[in-house]
Amino acid sequence: MTPLSDSNRAAPALAPSEIVTWDATTLSRHLHDRVVSCREVMNAYLDHVDAANPLVNAIVSRRERAALLAEADTADRELTNGHSRGWMHGFPQAIKDLSDARGLPTTQGSPLLAGQIAATDSLMVARMRAAGAIVIGKTNTPEFGLGSQSYNPVFGATRNAFDRTRTAGGSSGGAAAALAMRMLPVADGSDMMGSLRNPAAFNDVIGFRPSFGRVPGLAADPFGQQLATNGPMGRTIADVARLLETQSGFDRRAPLSLGEPLRRETDTVDTALERDVRGLRIGWLGDWGGHLAMESGVLALCEAALNRLVECGAEIDACDTPFDPDTLWQSWTTLRHWAVAGNLGGYYADPATRERLKPEAQWEVERGLPLSAQEIYAANVQRGDAYHAWSSLFERFDYLAMPSAQLFPFDVDNHWPSEIAGRPMDTYHRWMEVVVPASMLGAPVVSLPAGLSEEGLPMGFQLIGRPRNDWGVLQLARAYEKASGGLARLPPALQPAR
């Protein structure tokens, strides 16, 4: 592993414009109050991306400045005429490179798709554009989103905002690093196996995986594939909540999408996030009774962070996993193999394209193709059993908590960690087993910054709520944010020189 030193943790300090340091809620207010113009905001962000992106390689497929300034000028004219598209009016925004954004490549990090231009927006992107976002490019991701390390042969690796020798995580690694480096006000991401949570933890920002169906997508198999979902990332809970509202809502083309409102419409977002958390019961699962390998320092950092909620009056008790972890893993991997094989099986069938798939993708497909209908059925039954067992914990607890990752950000040149604390990892994703329960439950879960290790590396912890209690999770997260005095600290490269 590359030795750590002050010189490779951070580049010489940048001097970003004040505009890019505003949280998204403040940016929206200043744009609508005409404190700053959309053109000024666009120029500030593009200048900052020019300076900061070479350090981390988070934003790819960038559009030309002239075209973006023209769109910003249109947005200014609309505000002058009293018309706002929504709270994101004039926001520079980059879209995760697994989602289509009209007129931009959707490479998914694969050379097989490089150069293919999207003719339309995905449902989520269309909603963000309708709210006023101006798409400036895409955010980097691992090949086909596989693996929690954002490297690919098209754009290379995305580096951690706090230490450029380390990974930004994935698959929303580009989104998380861009957020941390203040190159975006908010970001979209997606999450099958922690892809909104692990990179948020690794870059000291907030990632929210919503209840399944909350943020719908137009999948080729709208009934069968229920592991992955899109969702929001941000630097404040209010920003995450606002973006979640933009992304959410029923669409008849997505038959399992949810239509009920997230909160009472009579309240503002900020008012609706306030909640007295005294007496709330939180179950701490830690390392699942020793089942999970954990790097030294992860548990202690997360437990110390969680104690801030004790200071707010919440009650935290240790609890055991309610379902056999090995059975849960077996069910998870079977369903994941099935999903990936369905998505990539066509590429695998052709020897010319198969050899251009990374080994981890080939491995998933090779285990998915031979699965029988009975094996898939059995895995779904196991998932149902796990759902009922984990749901039983909510009879004793209001929320559950555990780390967001099992180790701190690792060497960016390693595709995945082969061991944690001396324990070997038997697959390329076993080191992220801690995120599987929320994914299998389809439950809302937020990754919150827990703090930094002695080496200055970020870590986060998960708060999991009952299915469809998305707003309750955000309310508890808001209480943690207030108790912490704010979240999402500036990375070293943006801190003023001492």
Side-chain angles (χ1 to χ4, degrees), residues 324-342:
D324 178 55
D326 292 326
T327 303
L328 182 70
W329 181 254
Q330 180 182 353
S331 172
W332 166 259
T333 52
T334 297
L335 295 175
R336 182 180 170 96
H337 295 330
W338 174 49
V340 176

Side-chain angles (χ1 to χ4, degrees), residues 4 27 34 73 87 177 194 215 259 320 368 396 422 433 437 445 451 470 493:
L4 286 173
L27 175 64
R34 310 315 307 274
D73 289 341
W87 82 283
V215 178
D320 297 325
R396 297 167 48 206
E433 189 174 0
V445 52
D470 302 64

Side-chain angles (χ1 to χ4, degrees), residues 195-210:
S195 292
L196 280 159
R197 292 166 279 164
N198 163 259
F202 278 8
N203 289 277
D204 205 56
V205 295
I206 302 159
F208 186 87
R209 178 190 164 107

Side-chain angles (χ1 to χ4, degrees), residues 41-379:
V41 167
M42 184 60 72
N43 267 321
Y45 268 93
L46 294 180
D47 287 346
H48 184 57
V49 171
D50 286 342
N53 198 51
L55 303 180
V56 292
N57 189 37
I59 298 179
V60 299
S61 299
R62 289 180 58 189
R63 295 177 60 202
E64 294 293 330
R65 182 182 289 248
L68 293 169
L69 290 176
E71 289 191 30
D73 289 341
T74 298
D76 276 325
R77 287 193 294 271
E78 290 173 342
L79 289 179
T80 298
N81 293 329
H83 171 67
S84 169
R85 299 180 213 168
W87 82 283
M88 300 179 77
H89 192 103
F91 275 29
Q93 208 58 51
I95 304 300
K96 183 176 177 178
D97 199 21
L98 298 183
S99 292
D100 286 342
R102 183 185 66 252
L104 285 171
T106 307
T107 75
Q108 299 189 54
S110 170
L112 296 172
L113 300 179
Q116 295 191 18
I117 306 300
T120 59
D121 288 333
S122 71
L123 176 57
M124 178 190 64
V125 174
R127 288 176 170 180
M128 292 170 68
R129 278 202 212 258
I134 299 174
V135 178
I136 66 170
K138 307 296 283 288
T139 55
N140 203 27
T141 185
E143 184 179 330
F144 292 112
L146 297 176
S148 201
Q149 218 278 50
S150 293
Y151 70 93
N152 63 66
V154 181
F155 298 113
T158 296
R159 296 174 178 270
N160 192 283
F162 283 74
D163 184 336
R164 292 180 296 136
T165 71
R166 306 294 179 117
T167 179
S171 61
S172 307
L179 264 177
M181 293 294 289
R182 276 51 179 180
M183 292 188 285
L184 296 175
V186 285
D188 71 278
S190 57
D191 187 309
M192 176 186 268
M193 192 178 181
S195 292
L196 280 159
R197 292 166 279 164
N198 163 259
F202 278 8
N203 289 277
D204 205 56
V205 295
I206 302 159
F208 186 87
R209 178 190 164 107
S211 295
F212 185 80
R214 181 71 67 194
V215 178
L218 305 181
D221 176 8
F223 291 101
Q225 301 302 338
Q226 299 179 34
L227 296 180
T229 178
N230 293 317
M233 305 180 82
R235 295 190 298 268
T236 72
I237 299 302
D239 291 352
V240 169
R242 286 181 166 87
L243 183 53
L244 177 63
E245 288 196 321
T246 298
Q247 297 172 332
S248 298
F250 176 78
D251 187 286
R252 62 178 177 78
R253 296 167 293 177
L256 301 182
S257 57
L258 303 180
E260 74 264 20
L262 280 161
R263 60 179 175 87
R264 292 191 308 178
E265 295 181 1
T266 54
D267 294 333
T268 66
V269 169
D270 295 304
T271 300
L273 284 172
E274 297 304 319
R275 179 184 185 182
D276 186 350
V277 302
R278 287 177 293 182
L280 287 181
R281 301 159 301 168
I282 301 172
W284 169 244
L285 289 110
D287 63 359
W288 303 4
H291 174 80
L292 298 175
M294 288 278 175
E295 184 175 356
S296 177
V298 170
L299 289 174
L301 195 60
C302 292
E303 288 169 356
L306 199 57
N307 278 333
R308 296 173 206 165
L309 287 171
V310 175
E311 298 167 5
C312 298
E315 302 171 3
I316 300 176
D317 291 304
C319 62
D320 297 325
T321 52
F323 189 79
D324 178 55
D326 292 326
T327 303
L328 182 70
W329 181 254
Q330 180 182 353
S331 172
W332 166 259
T333 52
T334 297
L335 295 175
R336 182 180 170 96
H337 295 330
W338 174 49
V340 176
N343 184 37
L344 302 182
Y347 296 123
Y348 185 87
D350 183 346
T353 52
R354 179 192 308 167
E355 66 181 14
R356 303 184 73 186
L357 294 173
K358 70 178 183 178
E360 293 83 1
Q362 295 185 41
W363 177 83
E364 292 276 13
V365 175
E366 287 165 357
R367 279 151 183 78
L369 291 178
L371 289 170
S372 68
Q374 187 60 41
E375 288 172 317
I376 296 168
Y377 175 79

Side-chain angles (χ1 to χ4, degrees), residues 397-451:
F397 300 103
D398 300 297
Y399 299 92
L400 305 174
M402 62 186 81
S404 297
Q406 294 168 227
L407 76 170
F408 292 101
F410 54 89
D411 192 325
V412 72
D413 294 325
N414 289 345
H415 289 180
W416 50 276
S418 59
E419 60 87 21
I420 300 176
R423 287 168 60 177
M425 300 291 103
D426 59 352
T427 72
Y428 78 102
H429 47 24
R430 189 72 177 229
W431 62 277
M432 283 302 298
E433 189 174 0
V434 72
V435 301
V436 168
S439 294
M440 292 289 265
L441 285 172
V445 52
V446 66
S447 176
L448 297 169

